[in-house]
């Protein structure tokens, strides 16, 4: 293998740049030529491909976003689109690919690999942490800290005014961001898609609120089955029906995707990027390089997207015990 | 004057604690006894009043929120409520008051002073900066930096995906937060209540977007006459009518009220607090202690709430010049 | 077991408060009475012991430092001191202890347990991450992020002036903080006690600097065998002997110990605290509750202080590969 | 005037990039061509000059450091050096200059202007705030907030261990950073070059420490006449001579120069940059564009470097009153 390319796809996440840098420099260190594909699969089809050098990735380890840009690609869902993409790679002599992204990215990568046989190794880049085959995904730690920082600020106001705040965090169908930011902020309740949300218990607890605590923070994962923060707040408010209690909703939104990555995300991203290149050189393909139990693990794309990563049971216990 | 009291009222803002600390310690330094009234005017009526000492305000200079809590008070709008409040103050022997808050706080203070003659000096505590008689209000600088930090994060994602973001910031009927966070973040447009929002100009500029820039940040003050960020986005989107452009909305919300105050807010809050106490001792009343042109200025409550503080004209020019 | 106590000892680390909170609330949740011992072993001897309630630990999960304070205790090194400490515990009816700290704390705990048989479980509270029996210690993640944030800032200046910076980070005899902040900041070299520092290689590389890069960051662990950052800089400078190269030294110092804990540290601290109490109830003693491979693990104090936790080999490889 | 150039010189400060961006875009908005001179006066002599466009300064408003780099220049102190510099400017057709920097930068600019008559307007870029003719300098607000954030972290440790910390901050011969970070952090003492440092008063106060407070923060400006933090600590320690008191020293160092600029610095930098270009166009020269009392003011270079900007007297009073 002499030439490889790297691209980012799907929603951006903090640490993608650190991962790109690790792919580029590891490849060059190992004597390969390396190319960047801009705008994900869309750019692969459009031929938006450029050679990268060690200095191309200088001073990006600390930046959010992705220097290779990202995009959704409808065309890549068609056989014609994928054929065009492959031809562009062949024209550049590219023999292997590193795909940085999540679920959708790996689904595309799996089909592409199966159709054209080009070696592909993935890196888990998503803030949602919902990828099987790695303890944490690149961007998750930053997103949790951003959410936590926001909740810390909101608690100042909640405490000053004795208010009840429903705060919606990201995470798609998974509750990882909600659980860790909920434990970290000392939230009174955390509502996640993985467990049944018992609104009656919340109502009962909030009715008794003034006796013990005067303010309350409820973290809601965007994928919760009972609805988003606004919907849940409305339900709870109508059941409590007490004019003296003030309810507020905040949806943290896109701030959770950006920002300088944390140390943990930079180290994780760097290590996954290095492992992806080492994997390609060692003949691995159709799999993702993740870190489990401090070791590099290569998991088939099929498992990454097909299997569900469970929440850590102790974390749910923590929320229950510590919010008394 | 031997005994004074301090309270916070209205929406909380970062730096209120630093202001409380300055009031308490300056009073004690000057040989006064000082009391804290909890929950604003509501607590004044309820008699929620406690003696404060130098150590009562230790380790709070850096905290958001307000240790004296804040609340809205319907009762204080009634003559009976205010009479009860005054009796509670008399019972404690309190001869002067420092009121930390905004518009509503000073409106109440003015009436209360006029009815009962108790000396009152205010400190401008609000993130909105919409108080005449001070260059900046306590909490404004922190709110702007919080908004800016959030917009910086969102720009990472906007740039990675070539998106157009409409970001709503706070400020009530004033555009100060929008203007300063807009200049600071290099926003392409800033929409504020003080100036007419020209949606057609925005539409025209965004239509040409891909030729020069690929992403765009539009900061919308919550009080803009054309609506909030979501409403404006919908209008703009329908006029542009281009499926290839991706529009997103984020409302920053309550994170702008909390958080550790910045250096500027701590210094401003400390200085206003000291000036309020020195003012009371010097016989001032029915006025607010603010800082204009680096000097302490006492402005009658009537002017603080009746006059409008204009935006700095150069700031509007900066947005126009620098977004090319 | 009906009554337990908790204390912090040794250098403080961010997350100790979150750990105290978890110990207190888990204990109460499980029906125990819980006490706080102030100033570590010194307070145990002085009888500085108070009952804690759920509200005693409200609003501390996000604070650095330790509400129970910490201190070194010469007296606890004497049999008389320890005897007095035990008598105080007995007087309060305390039947189990949670000790939050590092090396020195556990050494004391081991002796105390062996002499008096009182059940003791530890939680790993130190920024240095040098405790065997847990993947990470409480405070490490915050310290790394603080160091990283500082190095990011210094790189701005290094790049603006084409300078070579030697930055000293904490870590006692271990290089964990240096390695992770070095990878995260994209440092050109990282010098740690665990590996031989090859100054000649650094000199050779820096001599060639202007050809490829113009500035350089070298992270030095305080325990490096070649000396601290200042000493190493002097050695390197004299070997390079080039007036056109500007060398600077910064020692990050005590900022690394403080600050609001990161999400990771708050979650880790909470989980260790819960596990310590559950361990005591389950009859465990003379051991530390840590987290390895996402699971709670109880490791004998003897191993925690006697065995060395190695650096992750991939991390050293990352520094070599990615600094090209 | 058709062509102007911009450069940064002296120690870098956060906000310089925002200032460069404002100069470039204002110039282009006004129909001028604009060039960047790299490495300050050194690059002017070496002819390191490049055309800048609106996109050249995209995405830098939020970055610390300076994209134009900075350097000291011995050659510019010689008539030959300055002659060469002027010839390079003439060769490019450059008719006006914007110089971003401090004292040294303006001293050079004054001589250069007097020798060759080329119009020059300065912008105050230094963290020290020691420039007459502007209420604040670009970078000062960021430096104060960085120092404050560091002191907040150190207070966590100081409080946990009942320690006395001497913290040295930057500021050259001025005490602005020390005073504002001292007020903001609630420091017990602040030592600055502008006032006589009374070590005996400090000693007396610290001897009584345990009676009222248990920890203490003393902020020392690097230019204090009694010495740096380490020297002052040694003097104080020997006078107190109490083994039970723990003394620590931290020198914050270069972290104060870097980092993303605060909102205030970005707005100030943008406004000064715009004003410098507008000034050049209006025929101004040999002066600096600063902001006083919210208005743009042009002050002759001679005054900027020759007159001393005093500390705000109220600030010194605040430190005395609020540290009781």
């Amino acid at each position: 293998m002499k030439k490889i390319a790297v691209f980012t796809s799907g929603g951006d996440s903090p640490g993608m740049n650190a991962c790109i840098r690790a792919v580029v420099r590891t490849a060059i260190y190992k004597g390969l030529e390396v190319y960047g594909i801009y705008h994900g699969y869309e750019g692969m089809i459009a031929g938006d491909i450029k050679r990268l050098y060690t200095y191309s990735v200088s001073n990006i380890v600390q930046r959010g976003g992705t220097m290779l840009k990202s995009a959704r690609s409808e065309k890549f869902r068609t056989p014609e689109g994928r054929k065009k993409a492959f031809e562009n790679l062949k024209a550049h002599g590219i023999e292997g690919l590193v795909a940085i992204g999540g679920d959708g990215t790996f689904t595309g990568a799996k089909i592409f690999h199966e159709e054209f046989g080009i070696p592909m190794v993935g890196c888990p880049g998503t803030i949602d942490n919902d990828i099987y085959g790695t303890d944490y995904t690149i961007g998750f730690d930053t997103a949790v800290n951003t959410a936590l920082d926001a909740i810390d600020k909101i608690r100042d106001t909640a405490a000053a005014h004795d208010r009840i705040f429903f705060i919606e965090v990201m995470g798609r169908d998974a509750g990882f961001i909600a659980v860790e930011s909920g434990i970290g902020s000392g939230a009174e309740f955390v509502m996640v898609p993985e467990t049944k949300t018992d609104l009656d218990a919340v109502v009962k607890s909030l009715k008794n609120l003034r006796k013990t605590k005067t303010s309350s923070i409820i973290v809601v994962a965007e994928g919760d089955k009972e609805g988003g923060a606004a919907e849940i707040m409305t339900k709870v408010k109508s059941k409590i029906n007490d004019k003296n209690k003030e309810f507020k909703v905040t949806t943290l939104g896109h701030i959770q995707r950006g920002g300088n990555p944390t140390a943990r995300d930079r180290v994780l991203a760097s290590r996954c990027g290095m492992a992806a290149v080492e994997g390609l050189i060692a003949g691995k393909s159709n799999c993702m390089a993740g870190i489990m139990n401090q070791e590099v693990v290569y998991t088939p794309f099929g498992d990454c997207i097909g299997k569900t990563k469970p929440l850590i049971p102790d974390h749910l216990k923590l929320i229950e015990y510590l919010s008394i």
Side-chain angles (χ1 to χ4, degrees), chain A:
Chain A
M1 188 164 299
K2 285 189 183 149
K3 293 187 187 179
I4 65 168
V6 57
F7 65 98
T8 52
S9 167
D12 66 315
S13 74
M16 281 186 162
N17 278 325
C19 192
I20 294 166
R21 174 177 174 268
V23 169
V24 169
R25 295 209 171 159
T26 302
I28 292 171
Y29 186 95
K30 296 286 188 181
L32 306 182
E33 268 181 33
V34 60
Y35 290 79
I37 303 168
Y38 289 75
H39 300 284
Y41 290 121
E42 196 76 7
M44 208 184 283
I45 294 169
D48 199 354
I49 301 171
K50 284 187 201 134
R51 179 96 183 257
L52 298 176
Y53 302 90
T54 57
Y55 61 78
S56 313
V57 294
S58 285
N59 212 18
I60 65 162
V61 69
Q62 78 276 36
R63 308 265 185 248
T66 158
M67 62 168 273
L68 294 178
K69 305 234 170 181
S70 189
R72 292 214 193 91
S73 178
E74 288 303 319
K75 290 184 200 148
F76 198 76
R77 293 173 189 273
T78 67
E80 299 74 35
R82 293 193 294 273
K83 186 152 175 292
K84 184 83 185 85
F86 180 67
E87 282 162 6
N88 282 330
L89 297 177
K90 230 171 51 179
H92 281 85
I94 291 164
E95 300 161 285
L97 288 173
V98 176
I100 306 170
D103 238 30
T105 306
F106 298 157
T107 304
K110 186 168 182 290
I111 294 170
F112 196 57
H113 171 77
E114 285 164 5
E115 285 180 350
F116 299 99
I118 186 162
M120 296 189 80
V121 176
C123 292
T126 165
I127 63 167
D128 302 321
N129 199 30
D130 58 348
I131 303 290
Y132 183 88
T134 192
D135 290 339
Y136 295 104
T137 55
I138 299 162
F140 172 68
D141 191 56
T142 307
V144 172
N145 277 289
T146 299
L148 190 54
D149 186 50
I151 302 173
D152 281 353
K153 287 189 209 300
I154 291 170
R155 190 176 279 283
D156 287 340
T157 289
H161 290 274
D162 296 338
R163 283 173 180 160
I164 298 163
F165 264 93
F166 290 78
I167 301 171
E168 184 173 313
V169 298
M170 286 184 162
R172 292 204 317 167
D173 295 331
F176 292 100
I177 295 177
V179 165
E180 298 218 3
S181 64
I183 294 171
S185 63
E188 274 69 27
F189 291 96
V190 176
M191 300 175 175
V192 293
E194 288 89 343
T195 62
K196 194 170 160 30
T197 294
D198 182 356
L199 289 189
D200 289 332
V202 176
V203 167
K204 194 177 156 200
S205 164
L206 290 178
K207 277 189 176 165
N208 291 322
L209 193 63
R210 295 281 162 135
K211 293 174 194 155
T212 50
K213 296 179 183 189
T214 54
S215 66
S216 205
I217 299 284
I218 295 144
V219 176
V220 180
E222 63 179 350
D224 193 72
K225 304 290 190 334
E226 287 286 342
E231 199 178 339
I232 288 178
M233 187 274 274
T234 307
K235 289 179 188 173
V236 169
K237 191 177 173 181
S238 78
K239 287 188 185 197
I240 289 182
N241 195 17
D242 174 350
K243 276 191 314 181
N244 290 318
K245 290 203 197 298
E246 228 182 317
F247 294 86
K248 294 274 175 185
V249 171
T250 292
T251 301
L252 296 185
H254 277 85
I255 57 169
Q256 295 164 85
R257 292 206 169 281
N260 294 0
T262 59
R264 203 60 72 95
D265 272 332
R266 297 190 203 179
V267 173
L268 173 65
S270 299
R271 200 168 170 200
C272 288
M274 178 174 77
V277 174
E278 292 188 325
L280 277 178
I281 291 172
K284 294 198 182 295
S285 182
N286 204 19
C287 64
M288 182 192 79
I291 309 293
M292 298 184 77
N293 301 345
Q294 312 257 34
E295 300 289 338
V296 171
V297 177
Y298 297 93
T299 303
F301 281 143
D303 287 354
C304 295
I305 59 190
K307 294 190 179 175
T308 301
K309 181 159 69 178
L311 295 175
I312 295 173
D314 261 14
H315 286 181
L316 298 172
K317 228 166 71 174
L318 275 173
I319 291 164
E320 186 189 341
Y321 286 15
L322 303 191
S323 62
I324 60 172

